[in-house]
Short mmCIF file of all heavy atoms in Angstrom, two decimals:
data_model
loop_
_atom_site.label_atom_id
_atom_site.label_comp_id
_atom_site.label_asym_id
_atom_site.label_seq_id
_atom_site.Cartn_x
_atom_site.Cartn_y
_atom_site.Cartn_z
N LEU A 97 22.94 11.09 -26.93
CA LEU A 97 22.91 10.63 -28.32
C LEU A 97 21.91 11.45 -29.15
O LEU A 97 21.97 11.40 -30.39
CB LEU A 97 22.52 9.16 -28.37
CG LEU A 97 23.57 8.16 -27.80
CD1 LEU A 97 23.02 6.76 -27.86
CD2 LEU A 97 24.86 8.28 -28.59
N SER A 98 21.04 12.15 -28.50
CA SER A 98 20.05 12.95 -29.20
C SER A 98 19.71 14.17 -28.35
O SER A 98 19.94 14.20 -27.14
CB SER A 98 18.78 12.14 -29.51
OG SER A 98 17.77 12.96 -30.06
N ASP A 99 19.18 15.20 -29.03
CA ASP A 99 18.74 16.38 -28.26
C ASP A 99 17.54 16.08 -27.40
O ASP A 99 17.24 16.80 -26.46
CB ASP A 99 18.42 17.51 -29.24
CG ASP A 99 19.64 17.99 -29.97
OD1 ASP A 99 20.75 17.82 -29.45
OD2 ASP A 99 19.47 18.52 -31.09
N ASN A 100 16.81 15.04 -27.72
CA ASN A 100 15.63 14.62 -26.98
C ASN A 100 15.95 13.31 -26.26
O ASN A 100 16.35 12.34 -26.88
CB ASN A 100 14.44 14.43 -27.92
CG ASN A 100 13.15 14.22 -27.17
OD1 ASN A 100 13.09 13.70 -26.07
ND2 ASN A 100 12.05 14.70 -27.77
N GLY A 101 15.77 13.33 -24.93
CA GLY A 101 16.10 12.14 -24.15
C GLY A 101 15.22 10.96 -24.50
O GLY A 101 15.62 9.77 -24.40
N PHE A 102 13.98 11.24 -24.92
CA PHE A 102 13.09 10.17 -25.32
C PHE A 102 13.56 9.51 -26.60
O PHE A 102 13.53 8.27 -26.72
CB PHE A 102 11.65 10.70 -25.49
CG PHE A 102 10.67 9.68 -25.87
CD1 PHE A 102 10.18 8.76 -24.94
CD2 PHE A 102 10.19 9.57 -27.19
CE1 PHE A 102 9.25 7.79 -25.30
CE2 PHE A 102 9.27 8.61 -27.55
CZ PHE A 102 8.80 7.71 -26.61
N VAL A 103 14.02 10.28 -27.54
CA VAL A 103 14.53 9.73 -28.80
C VAL A 103 15.82 8.97 -28.56
O VAL A 103 16.13 7.96 -29.22
CB VAL A 103 14.73 10.85 -29.81
CG1 VAL A 103 15.35 10.31 -31.12
CG2 VAL A 103 13.43 11.57 -30.13
N ALA A 104 16.58 9.37 -27.55
CA ALA A 104 17.84 8.70 -27.23
C ALA A 104 17.63 7.26 -26.78
O ALA A 104 18.52 6.42 -26.95
CB ALA A 104 18.60 9.49 -26.14
N MET A 105 16.43 6.96 -26.26
CA MET A 105 16.17 5.56 -25.88
C MET A 105 16.15 4.61 -27.08
O MET A 105 16.57 3.48 -26.97
CB MET A 105 14.80 5.49 -25.14
CG MET A 105 14.77 6.09 -23.77
SD MET A 105 13.31 5.62 -22.80
CE MET A 105 12.01 6.13 -23.91
N PHE A 106 15.73 5.13 -28.23
CA PHE A 106 15.65 4.32 -29.40
C PHE A 106 17.01 4.21 -30.12
O PHE A 106 17.20 3.35 -30.99
CB PHE A 106 14.59 4.83 -30.37
CG PHE A 106 13.22 4.84 -29.78
CD1 PHE A 106 12.72 6.00 -29.20
CD2 PHE A 106 12.43 3.69 -29.75
CE1 PHE A 106 11.45 6.04 -28.68
CE2 PHE A 106 11.18 3.71 -29.22
CZ PHE A 106 10.68 4.87 -28.67
N GLU A 107 17.95 5.09 -29.77
CA GLU A 107 19.25 5.09 -30.38
C GLU A 107 20.32 4.45 -29.52
O GLU A 107 21.43 4.22 -29.98
CB GLU A 107 19.65 6.51 -30.75
CG GLU A 107 18.71 7.19 -31.76
CD GLU A 107 19.14 8.60 -32.07
OE1 GLU A 107 20.15 9.07 -31.48
OE2 GLU A 107 18.49 9.27 -32.92
N SER A 108 20.01 4.17 -28.26
CA SER A 108 21.00 3.56 -27.35
C SER A 108 21.14 2.08 -27.66
O SER A 108 20.14 1.41 -27.99
CB SER A 108 20.57 3.76 -25.90
OG SER A 108 20.49 5.15 -25.58
N PRO A 109 22.31 1.55 -27.54
CA PRO A 109 22.52 0.10 -27.83
C PRO A 109 21.92 -0.79 -26.77
O PRO A 109 21.90 -0.43 -25.57
CB PRO A 109 24.02 -0.03 -27.91
CG PRO A 109 24.53 1.09 -27.03
CD PRO A 109 23.58 2.23 -27.20
N TRP A 110 21.50 -1.97 -27.16
CA TRP A 110 20.96 -2.97 -26.23
C TRP A 110 22.07 -3.77 -25.60
O TRP A 110 23.02 -4.15 -26.28
CB TRP A 110 19.99 -3.91 -26.97
CG TRP A 110 18.72 -3.24 -27.38
CD1 TRP A 110 18.47 -2.57 -28.54
CD2 TRP A 110 17.51 -3.20 -26.64
NE1 TRP A 110 17.18 -2.10 -28.57
CE2 TRP A 110 16.56 -2.48 -27.43
CE3 TRP A 110 17.11 -3.71 -25.40
CZ2 TRP A 110 15.26 -2.23 -26.97
CZ3 TRP A 110 15.81 -3.46 -24.96
CH2 TRP A 110 14.90 -2.73 -25.74
N VAL A 111 21.97 -4.01 -24.31
CA VAL A 111 22.95 -4.82 -23.61
C VAL A 111 22.32 -6.01 -22.89
O VAL A 111 23.01 -6.74 -22.19
CB VAL A 111 23.72 -3.96 -22.62
CG1 VAL A 111 24.55 -2.89 -23.31
CG2 VAL A 111 22.79 -3.33 -21.56
N GLY A 112 21.01 -6.16 -23.03
CA GLY A 112 20.35 -7.31 -22.38
C GLY A 112 20.30 -7.18 -20.87
O GLY A 112 19.93 -6.16 -20.31
N PHE A 113 20.76 -8.23 -20.17
CA PHE A 113 20.71 -8.27 -18.72
C PHE A 113 22.06 -7.91 -18.09
O PHE A 113 22.33 -8.27 -16.96
CB PHE A 113 20.28 -9.67 -18.24
CG PHE A 113 18.89 -10.03 -18.61
CD1 PHE A 113 18.57 -10.72 -19.77
CD2 PHE A 113 17.84 -9.65 -17.76
CE1 PHE A 113 17.27 -11.04 -20.08
CE2 PHE A 113 16.53 -9.98 -18.08
CZ PHE A 113 16.26 -10.66 -19.24
N GLU A 114 22.88 -7.18 -18.84
CA GLU A 114 24.21 -6.86 -18.32
C GLU A 114 24.13 -5.97 -17.10
O GLU A 114 24.88 -6.11 -16.13
CB GLU A 114 24.99 -6.15 -19.44
CG GLU A 114 26.41 -5.75 -18.99
CD GLU A 114 27.18 -5.05 -20.12
OE1 GLU A 114 26.87 -5.30 -21.30
OE2 GLU A 114 28.07 -4.28 -19.79
N ASN A 115 23.19 -5.00 -17.09
CA ASN A 115 23.08 -4.10 -15.95
C ASN A 115 22.60 -4.85 -14.69
O ASN A 115 23.09 -4.58 -13.57
CB ASN A 115 22.05 -2.99 -16.27
CG ASN A 115 22.54 -2.05 -17.35
OD1 ASN A 115 23.71 -1.65 -17.36
ND2 ASN A 115 21.68 -1.72 -18.30
N PHE A 116 21.72 -5.83 -14.88
CA PHE A 116 21.27 -6.63 -13.75
C PHE A 116 22.41 -7.50 -13.22
O PHE A 116 22.54 -7.69 -12.01
CB PHE A 116 20.09 -7.52 -14.15
CG PHE A 116 18.88 -6.73 -14.56
CD1 PHE A 116 18.66 -6.38 -15.88
CD2 PHE A 116 17.95 -6.33 -13.62
CE1 PHE A 116 17.54 -5.68 -16.24
CE2 PHE A 116 16.80 -5.60 -13.99
CZ PHE A 116 16.61 -5.29 -15.31
N GLN A 117 23.24 -8.00 -14.11
CA GLN A 117 24.37 -8.81 -13.67
C GLN A 117 25.37 -7.96 -12.85
O GLN A 117 25.89 -8.41 -11.83
CB GLN A 117 25.09 -9.37 -14.89
CG GLN A 117 26.24 -10.31 -14.57
CD GLN A 117 26.89 -10.93 -15.81
OE1 GLN A 117 26.44 -10.66 -16.91
NE2 GLN A 117 27.93 -11.70 -15.59
N ARG A 118 25.59 -6.72 -13.28
CA ARG A 118 26.45 -5.83 -12.51
C ARG A 118 25.91 -5.55 -11.13
O ARG A 118 26.66 -5.52 -10.13
CB ARG A 118 26.61 -4.50 -13.25
CG ARG A 118 27.41 -4.57 -14.54
CD ARG A 118 27.24 -3.30 -15.36
NE ARG A 118 27.55 -2.12 -14.52
CZ ARG A 118 27.15 -0.90 -14.82
NH1 ARG A 118 26.40 -0.67 -15.90
NH2 ARG A 118 27.47 0.11 -14.06
N ILE A 119 24.58 -5.44 -11.02
CA ILE A 119 23.97 -5.16 -9.72
C ILE A 119 24.13 -6.35 -8.80
O ILE A 119 24.53 -6.19 -7.63
CB ILE A 119 22.50 -4.82 -9.90
CG1 ILE A 119 22.36 -3.43 -10.58
CG2 ILE A 119 21.76 -4.79 -8.56
CD1 ILE A 119 20.92 -3.06 -10.94
N PHE A 120 23.83 -7.54 -9.30
CA PHE A 120 23.88 -8.74 -8.46
C PHE A 120 25.30 -9.10 -8.05
O PHE A 120 25.52 -9.79 -7.06
CB PHE A 120 23.24 -9.91 -9.16
CG PHE A 120 21.75 -9.75 -9.32
CD1 PHE A 120 21.12 -10.14 -10.52
CD2 PHE A 120 20.96 -9.23 -8.32
CE1 PHE A 120 19.77 -10.01 -10.69
CE2 PHE A 120 19.58 -9.09 -8.47
CZ PHE A 120 18.96 -9.46 -9.65
N GLU A 121 26.28 -8.66 -8.79
CA GLU A 121 27.68 -8.93 -8.45
C GLU A 121 28.29 -7.86 -7.53
O GLU A 121 29.43 -8.04 -7.10
CB GLU A 121 28.52 -9.02 -9.74
CG GLU A 121 28.18 -10.24 -10.60
CD GLU A 121 28.95 -10.27 -11.89
OE1 GLU A 121 29.66 -9.26 -12.15
OE2 GLU A 121 28.88 -11.29 -12.61
N ASP A 122 27.54 -6.84 -7.24
CA ASP A 122 28.04 -5.75 -6.38
C ASP A 122 27.68 -6.02 -4.94
O ASP A 122 26.52 -6.13 -4.58
CB ASP A 122 27.42 -4.41 -6.87
CG ASP A 122 28.06 -3.20 -6.17
OD1 ASP A 122 28.96 -3.41 -5.34
OD2 ASP A 122 27.65 -2.08 -6.47
N SER A 123 28.69 -6.17 -4.12
CA SER A 123 28.45 -6.44 -2.67
C SER A 123 27.77 -5.26 -1.98
O SER A 123 27.04 -5.45 -1.02
CB SER A 123 29.78 -6.75 -1.99
OG SER A 123 30.70 -5.66 -2.08
N ALA A 124 28.01 -4.04 -2.48
CA ALA A 124 27.36 -2.87 -1.88
C ALA A 124 25.85 -2.93 -2.05
O ALA A 124 25.09 -2.46 -1.19
CB ALA A 124 27.92 -1.59 -2.50
N PHE A 125 25.39 -3.52 -3.16
CA PHE A 125 23.97 -3.65 -3.37
C PHE A 125 23.33 -4.56 -2.33
O PHE A 125 22.29 -4.25 -1.75
CB PHE A 125 23.71 -4.21 -4.80
CG PHE A 125 22.30 -4.63 -5.03
CD1 PHE A 125 21.30 -3.69 -5.24
CD2 PHE A 125 21.94 -5.97 -5.01
CE1 PHE A 125 20.00 -4.06 -5.48
CE2 PHE A 125 20.64 -6.37 -5.24
CZ PHE A 125 19.66 -5.40 -5.46
N TRP A 126 23.97 -5.69 -2.07
CA TRP A 126 23.39 -6.63 -1.08
C TRP A 126 23.47 -6.04 0.32
O TRP A 126 22.60 -6.33 1.17
CB TRP A 126 24.14 -7.96 -1.15
CG TRP A 126 23.90 -8.65 -2.46
CD1 TRP A 126 24.81 -8.82 -3.47
CD2 TRP A 126 22.68 -9.23 -2.89
NE1 TRP A 126 24.24 -9.50 -4.50
CE2 TRP A 126 22.92 -9.75 -4.19
CE3 TRP A 126 21.43 -9.37 -2.35
CZ2 TRP A 126 21.93 -10.41 -4.94
CZ3 TRP A 126 20.43 -10.02 -3.09
CH2 TRP A 126 20.69 -10.54 -4.36
N HIS A 127 24.50 -5.22 0.59
CA HIS A 127 24.55 -4.54 1.90
C HIS A 127 23.41 -3.54 2.03
O HIS A 127 22.81 -3.42 3.11
CB HIS A 127 25.88 -3.85 2.07
CG HIS A 127 26.07 -3.14 3.38
ND1 HIS A 127 26.22 -3.80 4.58
CD2 HIS A 127 26.05 -1.82 3.67
CE1 HIS A 127 26.33 -2.93 5.56
NE2 HIS A 127 26.23 -1.72 5.03
N ALA A 128 23.11 -2.83 0.96
CA ALA A 128 22.00 -1.89 0.99
C ALA A 128 20.67 -2.62 1.15
O ALA A 128 19.77 -2.14 1.86
CB ALA A 128 21.94 -1.07 -0.32
N VAL A 129 20.51 -3.80 0.51
CA VAL A 129 19.30 -4.60 0.70
C VAL A 129 19.13 -5.03 2.15
O VAL A 129 18.05 -4.98 2.74
CB VAL A 129 19.31 -5.82 -0.22
CG1 VAL A 129 18.18 -6.78 0.08
CG2 VAL A 129 19.22 -5.38 -1.70
#
Side-chain angles (χ1 to χ4, degrees):
L97 292 177
S98 174
D99 295 336
N100 191 329
F102 181 76
V103 177
M105 289 194 304
F106 299 97
E107 298 180 358
S108 298
W110 290 87
V111 295
F113 293 94
E114 180 180 335
N115 294 316
F116 296 93
Q117 183 178 358
R118 290 168 54 200
I119 290 175
F120 291 139
E121 292 177 353
D122 189 359
S123 60
F125 169 76
W126 294 109
H127 181 72
V129 171

